[in-house]
Amino acid sequence: MTCRDFPQAPVQLFSSCPTSQGWLSINIATTPQQAGTSRSDPLGISTMKLFTGLILCSLVLGVHSQWMSFLGEAYEGAKDMWRAYSDMREANYKGADKYFHARGNYDAARRGPGGAWAAKVISDARENIQRFTDPLFKGTTSGQGQEDSRADQAANEWGRSGKDPNHFRPAGLPDKY
């Protein structure tokens, strides 16, 4: 069977057998010559295509703009998380890690849904990676790592929920942070 074996006009697709009046038993022009026009599609088909195209384009553009906003928020949120991590490394202050966890998540979540998503993904990934690397490089036992991870995740959630990260700020941490 080749392409030539298939009906050419769209209305022919719904026919079960040819009749003396064309492929359909009702009087519908199936070719430009029968319609008395040189258009390749009857007016209804092209109008329908136009409206369908306009609706699809508006949906795609609407979704596209929402995704672009979400991705922008996620990018800025990831930068907030990196800034909190860099500040934590620079401060090198004992007991301040929960504050920096909360602050990074707080700053990222304030960007919007994309930032909150980025904060959650980055925080979860960090804790999951730490679960494997801490026993190898720091020599911590599994109980110590799990307890610390739960406390970190609590600080992460605290910050993402919009609560003040200064709740975890240790006394004596320089004001720069």
Side-chain angles (χ1 to χ4, degrees):
M1 182 174 268
T2 66
C3 292
R4 290 187 200 128
D5 296 331
F6 288 99
Q8 296 299 315
V11 291
Q12 293 176 353
L13 295 175
F14 301 104
S15 174
S16 60
C17 63
T19 66
S20 62
Q21 298 176 356
W23 278 82
L24 293 176
S25 60
I26 57 175
N27 280 334
I28 295 179
T30 58
T31 65
Q33 292 77 22
Q34 290 174 339
T37 178
S38 61
R39 295 170 54 106
S40 62
D41 288 333
L43 181 62
I45 299 292
S46 53
T47 304
M48 187 172 71
K49 286 181 183 177
L50 173 68
F51 286 128
T52 303
L54 288 173
I55 289 169
L56 288 176
C57 284
S58 65
L59 289 174
V60 167
L61 290 175
V63 170
H64 182 264
S65 66
Q66 289 174 353
W67 273 105
M68 293 307 290
S69 174
F70 183 86
L71 292 175
E73 292 168 358
Y75 175 74
E76 293 297 323
K79 285 186 358 185
D80 291 332
M81 295 292 287
W82 180 257
R83 185 173 43 256
Y85 175 75
S86 297
D87 287 349
M88 180 179 71
R89 301 286 290 178
E90 181 183 320
N92 197 24
Y93 197 86
K94 189 170 181 105
D97 65 330
K98 305 303 180 259
Y99 163 72
F100 288 108
H101 279 268
R103 194 192 85 187
N105 279 271
Y106 176 80
D107 291 344
R110 289 187 59 185
R111 301 277 182 185
W117 174 80
K120 179 159 180 46
V121 168
I122 291 169
S123 297
D124 290 348
R126 181 187 176 279
E127 294 305 320
N128 288 330
I129 290 170
Q130 239 179 350
R131 196 174 349 161
F132 295 108
T133 59
D134 280 1
L136 294 173
F137 299 115
K138 294 182 179 179
T140 58
T141 64
S142 61
Q144 293 170 326
Q146 289 176 356
E147 183 180 317
D148 189 48
S149 180
R150 279 193 294 276
D152 287 348
Q153 288 290 36
N156 293 336
E157 184 56 40
W158 180 278
R160 272 196 309 275
S161 68
K163 296 177 183 173
D164 186 14
N166 288 318
H167 172 78
F168 294 98
R169 187 180 184 90
L173 182 68
D175 289 337
K176 175 183 177 183
Y177 308 107

Tab-separated table of all heavy atoms in Angstrom, residues 17-77:
chain	number	residue	atom	x	y	z
A	17	CYS	N	-17.025	3.547	2.342
A	17	CYS	CA	-17.021	3.041	0.978
A	17	CYS	C	-17.363	4.181	0.018
A	17	CYS	O	-18.081	5.105	0.387
A	17	CYS	CB	-18.013	1.895	0.818
A	17	CYS	SG	-19.703	2.366	1.115
A	18	PRO	N	-16.860	4.132	-1.212
A	18	PRO	CA	-17.173	5.195	-2.162
A	18	PRO	C	-18.622	5.096	-2.636
A	18	PRO	O	-19.200	4.014	-2.682
A	18	PRO	CB	-16.187	4.965	-3.295
A	18	PRO	CG	-15.766	3.548	-3.163
A	18	PRO	CD	-15.919	3.172	-1.729
A	19	THR	N	-19.201	6.263	-2.974
A	19	THR	CA	-20.564	6.307	-3.529
A	19	THR	C	-20.497	7.017	-4.861
A	19	THR	O	-19.446	7.502	-5.277
A	19	THR	CB	-21.519	7.066	-2.580
A	19	THR	OG1	-21.107	8.425	-2.522
A	19	THR	CG2	-21.526	6.458	-1.198
A	20	SER	N	-21.652	7.152	-5.518
A	20	SER	CA	-21.682	7.828	-6.813
A	20	SER	C	-21.437	9.327	-6.673
A	20	SER	O	-21.050	9.993	-7.618
A	20	SER	CB	-23.022	7.575	-7.510
A	20	SER	OG	-24.073	8.125	-6.725
A	21	GLN	N	-21.614	9.890	-5.448
A	21	GLN	CA	-21.411	11.325	-5.234
A	21	GLN	C	-20.028	11.645	-4.672
A	21	GLN	O	-19.765	12.771	-4.328
A	21	GLN	CB	-22.486	11.856	-4.280
A	21	GLN	CG	-23.885	11.710	-4.830
A	21	GLN	CD	-24.921	12.147	-3.809
A	21	GLN	OE1	-24.573	12.486	-2.692
A	21	GLN	NE2	-26.177	12.116	-4.218
A	22	GLY	N	-19.181	10.730	-4.528
A	22	GLY	CA	-17.855	10.947	-3.936
A	22	GLY	C	-17.642	9.958	-2.805
A	22	GLY	O	-18.299	8.918	-2.749
A	23	TRP	N	-16.768	10.269	-1.894
A	23	TRP	CA	-16.473	9.348	-0.802
A	23	TRP	C	-17.514	9.378	0.297
A	23	TRP	O	-17.637	8.452	1.061
A	23	TRP	CB	-15.094	9.662	-0.228
A	23	TRP	CG	-14.011	9.045	-1.048
A	23	TRP	CD1	-13.478	9.546	-2.182
A	23	TRP	CD2	-13.396	7.798	-0.826
A	23	TRP	NE1	-12.540	8.703	-2.697
A	23	TRP	CE2	-12.462	7.609	-1.859
A	23	TRP	CE3	-13.508	6.805	0.136
A	23	TRP	CZ2	-11.664	6.482	-1.949
A	23	TRP	CZ3	-12.697	5.701	0.052
A	23	TRP	CH2	-11.799	5.545	-0.992
A	24	LEU	N	-18.246	10.467	0.447
A	24	LEU	CA	-19.284	10.549	1.468
A	24	LEU	C	-20.636	10.606	0.798
A	24	LEU	O	-20.781	11.076	-0.323
A	24	LEU	CB	-19.095	11.799	2.333
A	24	LEU	CG	-17.859	11.818	3.207
A	24	LEU	CD1	-17.750	13.147	3.913
A	24	LEU	CD2	-17.896	10.698	4.219
A	25	SER	N	-21.639	10.152	1.485
A	25	SER	CA	-22.968	10.144	0.897
A	25	SER	C	-23.664	11.497	1.006
A	25	SER	O	-24.747	11.662	0.474
A	25	SER	CB	-23.816	9.053	1.549
A	25	SER	OG	-23.915	9.301	2.923
A	26	ILE	N	-23.082	12.463	1.702
A	26	ILE	CA	-23.654	13.804	1.745
A	26	ILE	C	-22.878	14.691	0.779
A	26	ILE	O	-21.755	14.362	0.411
A	26	ILE	CB	-23.622	14.381	3.182
A	26	ILE	CG1	-22.196	14.396	3.730
A	26	ILE	CG2	-24.534	13.598	4.091
A	26	ILE	CD1	-22.073	15.056	5.061
A	27	ASN	N	-23.472	15.785	0.364
A	27	ASN	CA	-22.837	16.655	-0.629
A	27	ASN	C	-21.798	17.558	0.033
A	27	ASN	O	-22.127	18.644	0.512
A	27	ASN	CB	-23.874	17.505	-1.360
A	27	ASN	CG	-24.564	16.726	-2.448
A	27	ASN	OD1	-23.970	15.776	-2.977
A	27	ASN	ND2	-25.775	17.107	-2.772
A	28	ILE	N	-20.586	17.110	0.111
A	28	ILE	CA	-19.456	17.903	0.599
A	28	ILE	C	-18.416	17.899	-0.506
A	28	ILE	O	-18.064	16.848	-1.033
A	28	ILE	CB	-18.854	17.318	1.894
A	28	ILE	CG1	-19.867	17.400	3.025
A	28	ILE	CG2	-17.566	18.036	2.254
A	28	ILE	CD1	-19.368	16.818	4.319
A	29	ALA	N	-17.925	19.059	-0.838
A	29	ALA	CA	-16.893	19.145	-1.873
A	29	ALA	C	-15.600	18.591	-1.301
A	29	ALA	O	-15.123	19.060	-0.274
A	29	ALA	CB	-16.715	20.582	-2.309
A	30	THR	N	-15.048	17.573	-1.941
A	30	THR	CA	-13.827	16.950	-1.452
A	30	THR	C	-12.609	17.365	-2.242
A	30	THR	O	-11.499	17.002	-1.878
A	30	THR	CB	-13.950	15.416	-1.478
A	30	THR	OG1	-14.235	15.016	-2.810
A	30	THR	CG2	-15.036	14.951	-0.541
A	31	THR	N	-12.797	18.110	-3.312
A	31	THR	CA	-11.668	18.587	-4.103
A	31	THR	C	-11.873	20.055	-4.399
A	31	THR	O	-13.004	20.553	-4.386
A	31	THR	CB	-11.540	17.821	-5.435
A	31	THR	OG1	-12.676	18.108	-6.240
A	31	THR	CG2	-11.399	16.332	-5.209
A	32	PRO	N	-10.798	20.807	-4.648
A	32	PRO	CA	-10.946	22.222	-4.979
A	32	PRO	C	-11.809	22.445	-6.214
A	32	PRO	O	-12.546	23.412	-6.281
A	32	PRO	CB	-9.513	22.689	-5.222
A	32	PRO	CG	-8.665	21.706	-4.494
A	32	PRO	CD	-9.411	20.411	-4.515
A	33	GLN	N	-11.771	21.527	-7.184
A	33	GLN	CA	-12.548	21.702	-8.406
A	33	GLN	C	-14.044	21.602	-8.113
A	33	GLN	O	-14.847	22.347	-8.653
A	33	GLN	CB	-12.153	20.664	-9.470
A	33	GLN	CG	-10.760	20.837	-10.031
A	33	GLN	CD	-9.668	20.343	-9.063
A	33	GLN	OE1	-9.924	19.529	-8.182
A	33	GLN	NE2	-8.460	20.865	-9.224
A	34	GLN	N	-14.460	20.696	-7.244
A	34	GLN	CA	-15.863	20.555	-6.900
A	34	GLN	C	-16.365	21.768	-6.128
A	34	GLN	O	-17.521	22.142	-6.215
A	34	GLN	CB	-16.095	19.298	-6.067
A	34	GLN	CG	-15.927	18.014	-6.863
A	34	GLN	CD	-16.018	16.796	-5.965
A	34	GLN	OE1	-15.825	16.884	-4.767
A	34	GLN	NE2	-16.307	15.648	-6.574
A	35	ALA	N	-15.509	22.381	-5.311
A	35	ALA	CA	-15.913	23.547	-4.525
A	35	ALA	C	-15.908	24.806	-5.355
A	35	ALA	O	-16.388	25.842	-4.902
A	35	ALA	CB	-14.975	23.707	-3.336
A	36	GLY	N	-15.356	24.778	-6.560
A	36	GLY	CA	-15.292	25.953	-7.402
A	36	GLY	C	-14.262	26.954	-6.930
A	36	GLY	O	-14.399	28.153	-7.118
A	37	THR	N	-13.219	26.481	-6.253
A	37	THR	CA	-12.169	27.354	-5.735
A	37	THR	C	-10.823	26.703	-5.985
A	37	THR	O	-10.731	25.511	-6.237
A	37	THR	CB	-12.359	27.636	-4.222
A	37	THR	OG1	-11.291	28.434	-3.775
A	37	THR	CG2	-12.371	26.358	-3.419
A	38	SER	N	-9.778	27.480	-5.897
A	38	SER	CA	-8.441	26.918	-6.078
A	38	SER	C	-7.761	26.643	-4.740
A	38	SER	O	-6.603	26.295	-4.695
A	38	SER	CB	-7.588	27.880	-6.906
A	38	SER	OG	-7.469	29.102	-6.225
A	39	ARG	N	-8.492	26.813	-3.629
A	39	ARG	CA	-7.912	26.551	-2.294
A	39	ARG	C	-7.711	25.060	-2.105
A	39	ARG	O	-8.503	24.248	-2.572
A	39	ARG	CB	-8.833	27.076	-1.206
A	39	ARG	CG	-8.988	28.579	-1.228
A	39	ARG	CD	-10.096	28.996	-0.279
A	39	ARG	NE	-9.866	28.462	1.058
A	39	ARG	CZ	-9.459	29.195	2.087
A	39	ARG	NH1	-9.246	30.481	1.920
A	39	ARG	NH2	-9.282	28.666	3.258
A	40	SER	N	-6.682	24.693	-1.392
A	40	SER	CA	-6.421	23.271	-1.173
A	40	SER	C	-7.264	22.710	-0.033
A	40	SER	O	-7.466	21.517	0.048
A	40	SER	CB	-4.939	23.043	-0.892
A	40	SER	OG	-4.565	23.723	0.270
A	41	ASP	N	-7.732	23.554	0.904
A	41	ASP	CA	-8.561	23.105	2.020
A	41	ASP	C	-9.869	23.867	2.004
A	41	ASP	O	-9.892	25.065	1.731
A	41	ASP	CB	-7.872	23.378	3.357
A	41	ASP	CG	-6.699	22.463	3.612
A	41	ASP	OD1	-6.711	21.352	3.083
A	41	ASP	OD2	-5.788	22.873	4.343
A	42	PRO	N	-10.983	23.204	2.319
A	42	PRO	CA	-12.230	23.946	2.471
A	42	PRO	C	-12.089	24.962	3.592
A	42	PRO	O	-11.273	24.804	4.492
A	42	PRO	CB	-13.246	22.861	2.829
A	42	PRO	CG	-12.632	21.593	2.377
A	42	PRO	CD	-11.159	21.781	2.457
A	43	LEU	N	-12.875	26.018	3.584
A	43	LEU	CA	-12.754	27.123	4.534
A	43	LEU	C	-12.811	26.642	5.981
A	43	LEU	O	-12.062	27.092	6.824
A	43	LEU	CB	-13.850	28.160	4.266
A	43	LEU	CG	-13.835	29.394	5.162
A	43	LEU	CD1	-12.535	30.156	4.974
A	43	LEU	CD2	-15.023	30.274	4.869
A	44	GLY	N	-13.667	25.707	6.296
A	44	GLY	CA	-13.809	25.225	7.668
A	44	GLY	C	-12.553	24.576	8.198
A	44	GLY	O	-12.182	24.770	9.343
A	45	ILE	N	-11.880	23.811	7.364
A	45	ILE	CA	-10.674	23.112	7.801
A	45	ILE	C	-9.568	24.107	8.114
A	45	ILE	O	-8.921	24.032	9.151
A	45	ILE	CB	-10.210	22.094	6.741
A	45	ILE	CG1	-11.286	21.043	6.495
A	45	ILE	CG2	-8.901	21.459	7.138
A	45	ILE	CD1	-11.528	20.112	7.653
A	46	SER	N	-9.320	25.081	7.244
A	46	SER	CA	-8.232	26.028	7.487
A	46	SER	C	-8.564	26.961	8.654
A	46	SER	O	-7.674	27.350	9.399
A	46	SER	CB	-7.885	26.814	6.229
A	46	SER	OG	-9.024	27.415	5.686
A	47	THR	N	-9.830	27.311	8.833
A	47	THR	CA	-10.211	28.135	9.981
A	47	THR	C	-9.980	27.351	11.265
A	47	THR	O	-9.463	27.897	12.244
A	47	THR	CB	-11.692	28.555	9.874
A	47	THR	OG1	-11.880	29.219	8.642
A	47	THR	CG2	-12.087	29.465	11.015
A	48	MET	N	-10.348	26.092	11.255
A	48	MET	CA	-10.129	25.253	12.414
A	48	MET	C	-8.632	25.127	12.714
A	48	MET	O	-8.213	25.201	13.864
A	48	MET	CB	-10.732	23.869	12.191
A	48	MET	CG	-10.681	22.977	13.427
A	48	MET	SD	-11.581	21.441	13.234
A	48	MET	CE	-10.535	20.582	12.083
A	49	LYS	N	-7.820	24.963	11.686
A	49	LYS	CA	-6.371	24.878	11.874
A	49	LYS	C	-5.830	26.171	12.462
A	49	LYS	O	-4.970	26.146	13.345
A	49	LYS	CB	-5.672	24.593	10.544
A	49	LYS	CG	-5.826	23.187	10.038
A	49	LYS	CD	-5.085	23.014	8.727
A	49	LYS	CE	-5.258	21.655	8.138
A	49	LYS	NZ	-4.580	21.537	6.834
A	50	LEU	N	-6.337	27.299	11.990
A	50	LEU	CA	-5.881	28.593	12.485
A	50	LEU	C	-6.190	28.735	13.973
A	50	LEU	O	-5.308	29.080	14.770
A	50	LEU	CB	-6.543	29.732	11.698
A	50	LEU	CG	-6.275	31.138	12.218
A	50	LEU	CD1	-4.814	31.506	12.026
A	50	LEU	CD2	-7.180	32.135	11.514
A	51	PHE	N	-7.447	28.462	14.354
A	51	PHE	CA	-7.814	28.596	15.763
A	51	PHE	C	-7.083	27.580	16.641
A	51	PHE	O	-6.633	27.914	17.733
A	51	PHE	CB	-9.326	28.465	15.945
A	51	PHE	CG	-10.076	29.678	15.487
A	51	PHE	CD1	-11.125	29.559	14.611
A	51	PHE	CD2	-9.725	30.952	15.925
A	51	PHE	CE1	-11.817	30.671	14.174
A	51	PHE	CE2	-10.399	32.064	15.492
A	51	PHE	CZ	-11.458	31.937	14.612
A	52	THR	N	-6.927	26.374	16.162
A	52	THR	CA	-6.184	25.371	16.922
A	52	THR	C	-4.731	25.804	17.095
A	52	THR	O	-4.164	25.691	18.186
A	52	THR	CB	-6.240	24.005	16.208
A	52	THR	OG1	-7.604	23.635	16.038
A	52	THR	CG2	-5.516	22.942	17.007
A	53	GLY	N	-4.135	26.325	16.035
A	53	GLY	CA	-2.756	26.817	16.118
A	53	GLY	C	-2.621	27.971	17.088
A	53	GLY	O	-1.676	28.023	17.878
A	54	LEU	N	-3.567	28.901	17.057
A	54	LEU	CA	-3.523	30.041	17.981
A	54	LEU	C	-3.667	29.593	19.431
A	54	LEU	O	-2.943	30.070	20.315
A	54	LEU	CB	-4.615	31.053	17.635
A	54	LEU	CG	-4.398	31.859	16.356
A	54	LEU	CD1	-5.626	32.699	16.047
A	54	LEU	CD2	-3.170	32.746	16.489
A	55	ILE	N	-4.562	28.669	19.677
A	55	ILE	CA	-4.749	28.168	21.043
A	55	ILE	C	-3.496	27.440	21.516
A	55	ILE	O	-3.015	27.673	22.634
A	55	ILE	CB	-5.988	27.260	21.117
A	55	ILE	CG1	-7.259	28.103	20.967
A	55	ILE	CG2	-6.026	26.473	22.416
A	55	ILE	CD1	-8.522	27.310	20.770
A	56	LEU	N	-2.937	26.583	20.687
A	56	LEU	CA	-1.728	25.851	21.078
A	56	LEU	C	-0.549	26.788	21.311
A	56	LEU	O	0.199	26.619	22.275
A	56	LEU	CB	-1.374	24.798	20.033
A	56	LEU	CG	-2.289	23.578	19.994
A	56	LEU	CD1	-1.897	22.657	18.853
A	56	LEU	CD2	-2.252	22.832	21.304
A	57	CYS	N	-0.404	27.784	20.448
A	57	CYS	CA	0.696	28.741	20.619
A	57	CYS	C	0.543	29.521	21.920
A	57	CYS	O	1.520	29.736	22.633
A	57	CYS	CB	0.767	29.700	19.439
A	57	CYS	SG	1.476	28.936	17.970
A	58	SER	N	-0.674	29.943	22.225
A	58	SER	CA	-0.868	30.697	23.460
A	58	SER	C	-0.591	29.826	24.681
A	58	SER	O	-0.024	30.289	25.668
A	58	SER	CB	-2.276	31.282	23.525
A	58	SER	OG	-3.234	30.256	23.592
A	59	LEU	N	-0.979	28.544	24.611
A	59	LEU	CA	-0.676	27.638	25.719
A	59	LEU	C	0.823	27.424	25.865
A	59	LEU	O	1.363	27.462	26.965
A	59	LEU	CB	-1.378	26.293	25.514
A	59	LEU	CG	-2.890	26.292	25.695
A	59	LEU	CD1	-3.457	24.931	25.320
A	59	LEU	CD2	-3.268	26.645	27.116
A	60	VAL	N	1.492	27.202	24.751
A	60	VAL	CA	2.938	26.967	24.793
A	60	VAL	C	3.664	28.204	25.313
A	60	VAL	O	4.554	28.108	26.156
A	60	VAL	CB	3.472	26.554	23.402
A	60	VAL	CG1	4.979	26.616	23.345
A	60	VAL	CG2	2.986	25.162	23.057
A	61	LEU	N	3.277	29.371	24.852
A	61	LEU	CA	3.933	30.594	25.308
A	61	LEU	C	3.669	30.842	26.781
A	61	LEU	O	4.552	31.279	27.511
A	61	LEU	CB	3.489	31.782	24.470
A	61	LEU	CG	3.990	31.785	23.026
A	61	LEU	CD1	3.387	32.954	22.260
A	61	LEU	CD2	5.499	31.851	22.980
A	62	GLY	N	2.452	30.554	27.225
A	62	GLY	CA	2.135	30.718	28.643
A	62	GLY	C	2.943	29.779	29.509
A	62	GLY	O	3.515	30.174	30.519
A	63	VAL	N	3.005	28.525	29.121
A	63	VAL	CA	3.781	27.544	29.865
A	63	VAL	C	5.270	27.879	29.772
A	63	VAL	O	5.996	27.781	30.749
A	63	VAL	CB	3.495	26.121	29.336
A	63	VAL	CG1	4.466	25.116	29.909
A	63	VAL	CG2	2.068	25.725	29.659
A	64	HIS	N	5.702	28.316	28.598
A	64	HIS	CA	7.109	28.669	28.400
A	64	HIS	C	7.515	29.786	29.349
A	64	HIS	O	8.565	29.725	29.985
A	64	HIS	CB	7.338	29.072	26.944
A	64	HIS	CG	8.761	29.413	26.645
A	64	HIS	ND1	9.209	30.703	26.653
A	64	HIS	CD2	9.829	28.634	26.357
A	64	HIS	CE1	10.495	30.708	26.379
A	64	HIS	NE2	10.892	29.471	26.183
A	65	SER	N	6.671	30.809	29.486
A	65	SER	CA	7.031	31.928	30.356
A	65	SER	C	7.052	31.494	31.815
A	65	SER	O	7.878	31.955	32.595
A	65	SER	CB	6.077	33.100	30.154
A	65	SER	OG	4.776	32.766	30.587
A	66	GLN	N	6.144	30.577	32.198
A	66	GLN	CA	6.160	30.076	33.565
A	66	GLN	C	7.423	29.257	33.815
A	66	GLN	O	8.028	29.366	34.875
A	66	GLN	CB	4.921	29.222	33.836
A	66	GLN	CG	3.653	30.026	33.912
A	66	GLN	CD	2.421	29.143	34.029
A	66	GLN	OE1	2.502	27.925	33.931
A	66	GLN	NE2	1.282	29.764	34.227
A	67	TRP	N	7.810	28.435	32.850
A	67	TRP	CA	9.026	27.639	33.008
A	67	TRP	C	10.253	28.532	33.070
A	67	TRP	O	11.183	28.269	33.826
A	67	TRP	CB	9.167	26.614	31.879
A	67	TRP	CG	8.459	25.341	32.183
A	67	TRP	CD1	7.288	24.905	31.663
A	67	TRP	CD2	8.869	24.352	33.121
A	67	TRP	NE1	6.945	23.703	32.205
A	67	TRP	CE2	7.895	23.335	33.108
A	67	TRP	CE3	9.957	24.221	33.972
A	67	TRP	CZ2	7.988	22.204	33.912
A	67	TRP	CZ3	10.039	23.090	34.766
A	67	TRP	CH2	9.065	22.106	34.719
A	68	MET	N	10.267	29.583	32.251
A	68	MET	CA	11.420	30.482	32.274
A	68	MET	C	11.527	31.168	33.631
A	68	MET	O	12.621	31.329	34.165
A	68	MET	CB	11.326	31.510	31.140
A	68	MET	CG	11.465	30.891	29.756
A	68	MET	SD	12.945	29.865	29.562
A	68	MET	CE	14.203	31.109	29.579
A	69	SER	N	10.393	31.560	34.193
A	69	SER	CA	10.393	32.175	35.515
A	69	SER	C	10.884	31.170	36.561
A	69	SER	O	11.708	31.491	37.422
A	69	SER	CB	8.978	32.653	35.853
A	69	SER	OG	8.912	33.120	37.166
A	70	PHE	N	10.365	29.945	36.490
A	70	PHE	CA	10.758	28.899	37.427
A	70	PHE	C	12.251	28.617	37.326
A	70	PHE	O	12.948	28.516	38.345
A	70	PHE	CB	9.951	27.632	37.129
A	70	PHE	CG	10.218	26.495	38.078
A	70	PHE	CD1	9.529	26.397	39.269
A	70	PHE	CD2	11.154	25.520	37.777
A	70	PHE	CE1	9.763	25.354	40.143
A	70	PHE	CE2	11.399	24.471	38.637
A	70	PHE	CZ	10.697	24.385	39.827
A	71	LEU	N	12.753	28.496	36.102
A	71	LEU	CA	14.177	28.215	35.910
A	71	LEU	C	15.044	29.369	36.403
A	71	LEU	O	16.112	29.145	36.978
A	71	LEU	CB	14.466	27.915	34.446
A	71	LEU	CG	13.876	26.614	33.907
A	71	LEU	CD1	14.138	26.480	32.411
A	71	LEU	CD2	14.439	25.417	34.653
A	72	GLY	N	14.595	30.602	36.184
A	72	GLY	CA	15.334	31.756	36.689
A	72	GLY	C	15.395	31.757	38.204
A	72	GLY	O	16.445	32.030	38.809
A	73	GLU	N	14.257	31.447	38.843
A	73	GLU	CA	14.220	31.364	40.307
A	73	GLU	C	15.132	30.246	40.799
A	73	GLU	O	15.843	30.410	41.802
A	73	GLU	CB	12.794	31.103	40.777
A	73	GLU	CG	11.834	32.251	40.544
A	73	GLU	CD	10.388	31.853	40.742
A	73	GLU	OE1	10.107	30.661	41.021
A	73	GLU	OE2	9.530	32.735	40.600
A	74	ALA	N	15.108	29.123	40.108
A	74	ALA	CA	15.951	27.990	40.509
A	74	ALA	C	17.430	28.346	40.395
A	74	ALA	O	18.230	28.013	41.276
A	74	ALA	CB	15.624	26.762	39.661
A	75	TYR	N	17.790	29.032	39.320
A	75	TYR	CA	19.189	29.439	39.131
A	75	TYR	C	19.619	30.393	40.244
A	75	TYR	O	20.688	30.216	40.844
A	75	TYR	CB	19.342	30.089	37.755
A	75	TYR	CG	20.715	30.659	37.513
A	75	TYR	CD1	21.798	29.823	37.261
A	75	TYR	CD2	20.942	32.031	37.547
A	75	TYR	CE1	23.061	30.333	37.049
A	75	TYR	CE2	22.200	32.551	37.337
A	75	TYR	CZ	23.258	31.706	37.092
A	75	TYR	OH	24.517	32.217	36.894
A	76	GLU	N	18.795	31.393	40.517
A	76	GLU	CA	19.135	32.350	41.581
A	76	GLU	C	19.157	31.657	42.947
A	76	GLU	O	19.994	31.973	43.796
A	76	GLU	CB	18.142	33.515	41.582
A	76	GLU	CG	18.228	34.396	40.349
A	76	GLU	CD	19.573	35.089	40.197
A	76	GLU	OE1	20.168	35.489	41.206
A	76	GLU	OE2	20.023	35.230	39.050
A	77	GLY	N	18.248	30.714	43.167
A	77	GLY	CA	18.238	29.965	44.416
A	77	GLY	C	19.494	29.121	44.586
A	77	GLY	O	20.045	29.017	45.682
